[in-house]
Structures are given as structure tokens and as C-alpha cells.
Amino acid sequence: MELGGLKTVAQLRVMQPAQSGSGQKGCESKSASGKPSCGSAAGQGDLTPEIWQKVKNHPCYSEQAHHHYARMHASVAPACNIQCNFCNRKYDCSNESRPGVVSERLTPEQAARKVLAVASAIPQMTVLGIAGPGDPLANPEKTFKTFELVAKTAPDIKLCLSTNGLMLPDYVDRIQALNVDHVTITINMIDPVVGAKIYPWVFYNHKRYTGVEGARILSERQLLGLEMLTARGILCKVNSVMIPGINDRHLVAVNKAVKSRGAFLHNIMPLISAPEHGTVFGISGQRGPTAQELKDLQDSCEGEMNMMRHCRQCRADAVGLLGEDRSAEFTADKIMSMDVVYDLNRRQAYQEKVELQREAAATAKRAELETLAGKQSDISILVAVATKGGGRINEHFGHAKEFQVYEVGTAGAKFVGHRRVDLYCQGGYAEEDSLETVVRAINDCVAVFVARIGSCPREGLTAAGIEPVDRFALEYIEQSAIAYFKEYLERVRTGEIQHTERGDADIRQGALTA
Ligand code: CLF
Ligand code: SF4
């Protein structure tokens, strides 16, 4: 078969499961006991079983899942139908991708092959998202063709779409027919006057609309599309870019508006803006929010609708766990020469093991939390964690490209964000300058949990008032955070330390850019 004009060198073998009936989309994963994983303590909470099945192994829709499951993006959608002031068309869509990183454009056939290649190499890859580099619904044929091909050849992969929403009402039926269960709409405003400061124009019905008029059309279409999707039972996430001084206060009203229309999750992301991106905001010097500003806004919106705080603003051809980037292993050239073996049984067996690990982490967390029962305190602290995934403290300080941040109090430990940093250890040598950027990135944390750390960064962190902690190496994150918090409270009680509010922290811009 010829794919996109390239000769296939590889064998393409698609292995279906041994038992009939298990090739349907969605989760058939069961625990080792043979019981369905639904109802497990690994994060279902008060979700209905139907929704839990949709989110339990989607790394963006479930914070728990993002430690264990991976997603991939297929960059099949180059064109866009609006202009955002935080986007430079030379680069990827800032809604779902960091600017400054150019993606490889794929044909639907190449994308479908890439999905099989990734699914065979990364059995915990559960979701295919189409998120750019332009807008997927400004490229409907390429987008839907890709979904069609993948649904046929890799039926266990969840299909996910991210759009600016302008064309959404026109494609809701097609989205539903293709079993696209997860749709993200980027909604940065519901007031066109605010919108005019973000969107210089939109192109709709063969005409370009500018200013308030264009923003009004966009907003009406976004909210209509959201209502139509949720009425059909399609899970919707809303992404919003927080732009201080432009829409930061307004996003509370956006949150209410999307919640009332049935959105499942709201993801408020920091503006990524730097002059070198060549965007309107980058050139005008529009700043992004600080870590504290972002957290305060997310906290104020947290209510009946969950807030997503683990978004990595990933690129349109991202592959891997959120926060890691394996796209270079799966370029168009490389996938054509790979021996692709899509084995659904193997994938399911692997995912069953992942579910067991998840259960074990949840059980450990519950047990630790029980030891806090009866303790009352207004104190809560932030701790930073170096992790490679799996819910464990398993990364060396010097190798961490990001730190996950947890808030811990007597109610337990909660993931509240992540901070990108420059690598401290580069090519075997310590990069002393980067310690300063790490300190600024986690300056609001009282401690940093690591698998290992050298004496120099240990001293530097301690001098900055951040305690380096390696005694929980390889342990579960949340269990360890609660154990540490218990000790912290005790040290405060005995007067060994004094609890004070830490300062703010920087959100690093594009620090993962290769
Ligand atoms: Fe991709 Fe988006 Fe689907 Fe996730 S990303 S299309 S919902 S599979 Fe996830 Fe990446 Fe954040 Fe997007 S971390 S940018 S929210
Ligand atoms: Fe850029 Fe995405 Fe906005 Fe289109 S919707 S202008 S691709 S950020």
C-alpha cells in the first residue's frame, strides 16, 4: 500500500483480540480479579459509570489518569479560520500547542499509520487527539478522514478533538456519528468587547469579520456548539487562555456560562507570550499570569465543575505522557520503517497492570490519610515533586524538566499544577544558573520531593527556604505528601519550624522547547 506517496517498508500487522466482542471502543479493562475497574477507588468519585468509562484512562480528562496514560496528537489540520492575538500562524496552535515549535504535517493516511505505530510501542497510549496546528474543523475532511481510519484499525483508541468552535455547530452530527467522545472548545470570552481584544478577525461564511462583530459571531457559535454537544452526551472540556488585564476577571463569568451549558471540565491555561514568538501579544509585551494568579483564578472557579490543572499546553504532534515528548521517535520517516504490531490483547493486558498500580497508589493514599483523621489545622502547604510518571517520586532533581505541585492539608493531597524548568543537570554537568530558575519556579513550595539530589542543589534549595526531601524516593506521591505534612504539622506544633506563607512563583514559558 502506498501511504501519502511514501512507499511502505514496514510490515503492517493488525492483531485483533482473541475473544470476539472486545474490540469495541471504550474501556473493557478489568482488574485481575475479573471485576470491572469501575467503582474502584482510583478516582471515580461521584461520576456515573458511563462518564467514568469515558474519562478513566483519558490523560487530560482525569488527573489521576495522566500519571499513567498517554495521548498522541496527529497534526493533520494546518489551516485556521480565526486569528488569535496569542498565535503566530508559522507555528502551532496556542490553544492546544505551545507556539515556537513547528510540527510535521501529516496526511490522514500517514496519521493513521502513526497511530498504529505509537499504539504498538506505547501500550498505555489511549487517546488520539486532533488539535492543530490550525483548527481541526477548518480542515474537516482531513480531520474526519483520520478519525474514520483510526476507528477501523485501532478501535480501542479514544478519539478527541480540540477546536476554536467557530464551525462546531455544523459538525456536531458528524462528530457524534464518528463516536468522538471528547471535544475541547477554546472559549476565552463570552463578551464580544473582551473578545475584540483577543481576536482581530474571524472568517465565517466566506467573509472576514473584525472587532466586536467577529468576536460576537465566534462566541455565539462556541456556546451553541457546546450546548449541542452536551445535549448529545458528548463530554466537553473548555480551554481558556488567561490573559492578565484582558480576560482574567472575565473568565469567572466564562466558567459560569460553560458550566450552565454542561461542560464537564474547565482548563484555564496561562498565556504563553514572548517577543520571539512573533505574536501580537508577544510583541506588545502582554505578560502571562504568575503561578499564584493562575491558581487563585482556578480556585475561585472550582465548584460543581472540575478544574483541569495538569494541562501541558502540548504541541500539535505531541506523543507520550503529558509532560514528556516522544514525538521525535515517531516522525513520518521513522514510522514508515517500523515493524508495527498493533496487538489489542497486549494493550489490554498492559492497561490492566496499570489499573492495578493505580489501585495500589489510591489504597496507599487512603491509608495515609486515615492517620490524619481527627487532626484539624488551617495550615496547607505546597510541595513540588520530581516524577517520571506512575504516580511515584522517581526522578532525580537534576533530570527533572518539570515539577508537579501538590497542595497538602488535613483534607489530603491534591495536584494543583506543574512548573516547567530548565534541566539542572545537562550532559552530566550541573548547570548552576538553572538552579535559580528552578527556585523561582517552585518558590511557593516548602519542599521538593526527589528520588536523588546532589549536595550543591541541596544547599541552594535549603538556602532559598525549600527543603529537599529524598527519603520518599520511589514511593507514591500523594501518600508521601500526606506523610510529610503530618511531620510538618508536628514540627510547627513543637516550635521546630515556623509556618509562613511562601511567595509567588514564575510560570516558565516554553522551557521544554527543544
Ligand atoms: Fe489532545 Fe486536547 Fe484531547 Fe488532550 S491535549 S486534543 S484533550 S488528547 Fe490535554 Fe495537551 Fe492540555 Fe490539550 S494536556 S493541551 S488539554
Ligand atoms: Fe492560532 Fe489556534 Fe487561534 Fe487558530 S484557533 S489562530 S491556530 S491559536
Side-chain angles (χ1 to χ4, degrees):
M1 186 171 72
E2 186 135 335
L3 299 179
L6 296 170
K7 301 273 183 206
T8 54
V9 178
Q11 302 160 293
L12 178 58
R13 287 184 280 143
V14 178
M15 298 173 67
Q16 294 298 332
Q19 292 176 348
S20 64
S22 54
Q24 64 195 359
K25 192 169 164 288
C27 172
E28 292 80 42
S29 73
K30 296 183 177 178
S31 68
S33 65
K35 292 184 186 140
S37 299
C38 318
S40 77
Q44 180 173 355
D46 53 5
L47 298 180
T48 65
E50 293 75 28
I51 293 186
W52 176 237
Q53 286 301 316
K54 287 184 183 178
V55 304
K56 69 190 281 277
N57 60 3
H58 192 307
C60 302
Y61 281 71
S62 160
E63 189 277 306
Q64 288 280 337
H66 105 277
H67 298 286
H68 305 279
Y69 291 102
R71 53 76 184 97
M72 67 169 287
H73 286 167
S75 53
V76 295
C80 193
N81 44 17
I82 68 173
Q83 179 63 58
C84 305
N85 279 336
F86 45 73
C87 178
N88 180 343
R89 289 293 167 72
K90 287 188 205 150
Y91 302 117
D92 290 344
C93 170
S94 310
N95 288 336
E96 286 276 344
S97 327
R98 276 173 301 118
V101 182
V102 181
S103 306
E104 194 175 47
R105 305 326 190 225
L106 299 179
T107 64
E109 290 76 12
Q110 287 173 315
R113 180 176 175 81
K114 181 171 175 177
V115 171
L116 291 181
V118 175
S120 80
I122 308 178
Q124 69 273 41
M125 189 280 285
T126 49
V127 178
L128 164 68
I130 299 184
D135 185 74
L137 297 183
N139 307 262
E141 294 317 317
K142 289 176 184 156
T143 296
F144 292 125
K145 176 81 177 168
T146 304
F147 282 147
E148 270 167 26
L149 292 172
V150 172
K152 275 187 208 143
T153 55
D156 69 324
I157 305 274
K158 285 182 166 57
L159 305 177
C160 195
L161 174 75
S162 175
T163 175
N164 62 38
L166 181 65
M167 297 312 295
L168 190 51
D170 294 9
Y171 293 111
V172 164
D173 289 339
R174 203 149 168 205
I175 287 168
Q176 184 179 29
L178 277 167
N179 284 327
V180 178
D181 264 346
H182 301 78
V183 175
T184 295
I185 314 167
T186 297
I187 301 181
N188 296 317
M189 54 85 205
I190 52 169
D191 177 350
V193 174
V194 176
K197 297 176 191 161
I198 303 171
Y199 304 103
W201 55 260
V202 310
F203 193 79
Y204 179 60
N205 269 347
H206 312 290
K207 193 172 163 202
R208 182 180 288 227
Y209 296 87
T210 57
V212 171
E213 191 184 15
R216 178 172 293 115
I217 292 168
L218 178 63
S219 177
E220 286 171 0
R221 302 277 296 169
Q222 289 174 330
L223 295 178
L224 175 62
L226 172 61
E227 281 173 6
M228 292 170 76
L229 287 170
T230 57
R232 286 162 169 79
I234 294 167
L235 227 47
C236 291
K237 170 165 73 63
V238 169
N239 281 3
S240 301
V241 180
M242 180 182 179
I243 312 163
I246 290 189
N247 73 345
D248 46 346
R249 290 161 190 243
H250 179 60
L251 285 179
V252 177
V254 171
N255 177 267
K256 288 197 177 94
V258 301
K259 186 191 293 183
S260 71
R261 287 167 176 81
F264 174 74
L265 195 60
H266 193 187
N267 172 23
I268 299 182
M269 312 177 288
L271 172 73
I272 293 178
S273 174
E276 60 268 29
H277 297 152
T279 63
V280 171
F281 283 154
I283 291 165
S284 72
Q286 171 64 52
R287 72 172 179 93
T290 66
Q292 198 58 56
E293 287 170 339
L294 180 65
K295 182 174 181 299
D296 287 348
L297 178 59
Q298 290 168 333
D299 287 349
S300 69
C301 289
E302 186 137 324
E304 290 152 45
M305 186 172 52
N306 290 326
M307 299 302 295
M308 178 183 186
R309 299 172 192 248
H310 59 283
C311 175
R312 302 304 200 276
Q313 291 167 277
C314 37
R315 47 193 277 174
D317 60 359
V319 175
L321 293 173
L322 305 191
E324 74 174 2
D325 185 5
R326 298 181 59 178
S327 55
E329 295 171 43
F330 300 96
T331 59
D333 283 353
K334 286 180 183 165
I335 61 174
M336 298 313 285
S337 58
M338 280 180 186
D339 186 11
V340 174
V341 183
Y342 172 75
D343 182 342
L344 191 46
N345 278 333
R346 184 173 152 261
R347 285 175 52 76
Q348 288 177 339
Y350 187 93
Q351 290 176 23
E352 281 172 13
K353 279 192 201 147
V354 170
E355 286 305 309
L356 289 178
Q357 288 170 11
R358 219 169 141 174
E359 291 268 353
T363 303
K365 176 186 169 182
R366 260 200 320 274
E368 197 65 52
L369 198 51
E370 277 168 18
T371 68
L372 261 181
K375 286 209 190 312
Q376 295 292 332
S377 172
D378 291 338
I379 292 177
S380 71
I381 57 173
L382 298 182
V383 296
V385 180
T387 176
K388 291 193 273 206
R392 292 183 187 268
I393 302 158
N394 52 8
E395 183 63 285
H396 293 202
F397 177 83
H399 298 166
K401 292 181 190 149
E402 67 165 36
F403 291 92
Q404 297 190 355
V405 176
Y406 285 75
E407 187 168 31
V408 207
T410 49
K414 181 172 92 167
F415 179 101
V416 292
H418 68 96
R419 309 283 163 73
R420 285 176 180 159
V421 294
D422 292 329
L423 276 182
Y424 176 74
C425 185
Q426 296 188 8
Y429 295 96
E431 189 53 68
E432 292 306 330
D433 288 351
S434 70
L435 184 61
E436 202 181 312
T437 68
V438 174
V439 167
R440 284 208 301 269
I442 60 171
N443 187 48
D444 47 354
C445 299
V446 303
V448 56
F449 294 2
V450 296
R452 278 183 68 180
I453 184 167
S455 56
C456 283
R458 184 184 288 277
E459 283 166 20
L461 286 162
T462 306
I466 301 168
E467 184 185 3
V469 178
D470 58 3
R471 63 181 178 281
F472 299 117
L474 306 182
E475 301 288 341
Y476 293 119
I477 296 170
E478 292 174 73
Q479 177 190 27
S480 305
I482 296 166
Y484 176 84
F485 179 69
K486 255 187 333 189
E487 295 166 13
Y488 185 90
L489 279 187
E490 188 56 20
R491 287 155 71 198
V492 171
R493 192 187 67 76
T494 59
E496 181 189 334
I497 56 170
Q498 200 178 358
H499 174 70
T500 49
E501 293 297 326
R502 303 259 329 150
D504 206 342
D506 285 354
I507 294 177
R508 294 271 289 120
Q509 307 278 313
L512 280 179
T513 304

